[in-house]
């Protein structure tokens, strides 16, 4: 069973598909140094050029401050993120500065959840062209409460020209869905089917409880 999270109805499917971006962030790759050859213009699928993109965004004050404000909200004690350039090979490396510490921490010493969260924020806040954004399991490696709060961030950033889809099996993410935003994916007789979940399963069951109990017929969880 996969639950799809659709944020606002897209206009012009072909137009949106041409500018679409898919992300399945791998925190180990995202925390590694970015070669000077990596394209910094857009975060790639697994986030391996995160440091290069962050180096570019340091010149964009509005996006940089928005990302840092949200990171400080979700990661207690974080005060700054910098993209440093290695002298030997010109690669980019992220460093994190925390309160009550005089030394910056390189990204490979930072938690996977923090790297994953930063990558998600870059993916949605650094969108330039119209198109869909698809994110695989945004809740991975981060606290369930933060995952739920991130749904509100996704919703705020979504619009008709840039809808955001999430795939998830996470109860907290589904619980944050509003009526009309939860879609169920199931495979029957070799064919993948997608249908919209009702706002409630019954007078006694909420939408998320109906999903967990498979009242909507969206497929078994195993």
């Amino acid at each position: 069973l996969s639950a799809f999270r659709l944020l606002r109805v897209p206009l012009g499917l072909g137009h949106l598909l041409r500018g679409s971006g898919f992300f399945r962030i791998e925190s180990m790759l995202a925390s590694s140094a970015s070669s000077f050859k990596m394209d910094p213009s857009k975060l790639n699928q697994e986030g391996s050029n995160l440091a290069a993109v962050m180096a570019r965004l340091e010149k964009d004050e509005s996006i940089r401050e928005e990302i840092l404000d949200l990171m400080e909200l979700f990661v207690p004690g974080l005060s700054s993120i910098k993209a440093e350039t290695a002298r030997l090979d010109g690669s980019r490396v992220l460093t994190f500065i925390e309160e009550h510490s005089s030394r910056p921490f390189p990204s490979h010493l930072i938690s996977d959840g923090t790297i994953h969260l930063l990558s998600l924020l870059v993916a949605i806040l650094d969108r330039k062209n119209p198109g869909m954004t698809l994110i695989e399991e945004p809740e991975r490696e981060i606290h369930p409460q933060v995952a739920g709060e991130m749904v509100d961030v996704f919703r705020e950033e979504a619009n008709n020209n840039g809808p955001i889809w999430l795939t998830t099996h996470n109860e907290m993410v589904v619980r944050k869905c509003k009526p009309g935003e939860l879609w169920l994916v199931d495979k029957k007789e070799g064919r993948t089917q997608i249908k919209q979940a009702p706002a409630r399963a019954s007078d006694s069951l909420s939408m998320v409880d109906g999903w967990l109990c498979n009242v909507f017929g969206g497929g078994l969880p195993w």
Side-chain angles (χ1 to χ4, degrees):
L1 174 65
S2 294
F4 271 76
R5 180 78 167 77
L6 175 62
L7 305 177
R8 303 185 188 177
V9 180
L11 298 176
L13 184 58
H15 175 67
L16 293 175
L17 287 176
R18 284 192 295 271
S20 64
F22 173 74
F23 299 95
R24 190 182 192 283
I25 303 300
E26 299 292 342
S27 56
M28 184 174 295
L29 294 176
S31 65
S32 61
S34 295
S35 165
F36 73 93
K37 297 180 179 180
M38 285 185 168
D39 181 9
S41 63
K42 181 181 179 181
L43 190 70
N44 59 28
Q45 178 176 317
E46 69 281 353
S48 62
N49 65 336
L50 178 62
V53 175
M54 285 295 294
R56 172 177 58 81
L57 292 180
E58 286 186 353
K59 302 174 184 178
D60 189 325
E61 184 176 354
S62 61
I63 295 181
R64 183 187 71 237
E65 292 302 317
E66 188 173 5
I67 290 174
L68 185 57
D69 287 346
L70 287 169
M71 288 296 294
E72 290 176 346
L73 175 65
F74 294 135
V75 184
L78 181 66
S79 62
S80 182
I81 304 172
K82 299 289 185 181
E84 307 287 350
T85 301
R87 294 182 179 180
L88 292 179
D89 59 5
S91 61
R92 301 283 189 171
V93 180
L94 288 178
T95 59
F96 293 73
I97 300 175
E98 299 181 351
E99 296 176 358
H100 314 298
S101 176
S102 59
R103 298 180 60 185
F105 294 91
S107 54
H108 68 271
L109 296 180
I110 299 300
S111 71
D112 290 347
T114 297
I115 297 296
H116 194 178
L117 182 60
L118 176 60
S119 300
L120 292 177
L121 291 173
V122 170
I124 63 170
L125 295 176
D126 188 38
R127 298 190 298 165
K128 302 179 183 65
N129 301 315
M132 288 191 294
T133 298
L134 302 96
I135 301 176
E136 179 80 11
E137 297 180 345
E139 73 278 358
R140 289 187 303 128
E141 303 171 321
I142 62 179
H143 191 280
Q145 192 66 36
V146 174
E149 293 299 322
M150 277 296 294
V151 172
D152 292 332
V153 179
F154 292 134
R155 183 182 291 114
E156 183 176 342
E157 293 301 319
N159 54 63
N160 285 341
N161 289 323
I164 298 175
W165 288 78
L166 313 177
T167 68
T168 186
H169 297 88
N170 184 271
E171 178 181 348
M172 182 61 74
V173 173
V174 176
R175 194 171 295 279
K176 294 285 286 190
C177 289
K178 293 182 177 181
E181 293 181 338
L182 179 65
W183 294 70
L184 304 176
V185 179
D186 192 16
K187 181 174 285 187
K188 293 183 178 180
E189 298 179 356
R191 294 184 177 182
T192 299
Q193 301 180 0
I194 303 176
K195 67 178 180 180
Q196 190 176 43
R200 295 185 64 85
S202 66
D203 292 338
S204 59
L205 283 179
S206 66
M207 180 173 63
V208 69
D209 292 330
W211 168 64
L212 291 172
C213 296
N214 196 32
V215 172
F216 305 137
L220 296 173
W222 55 79

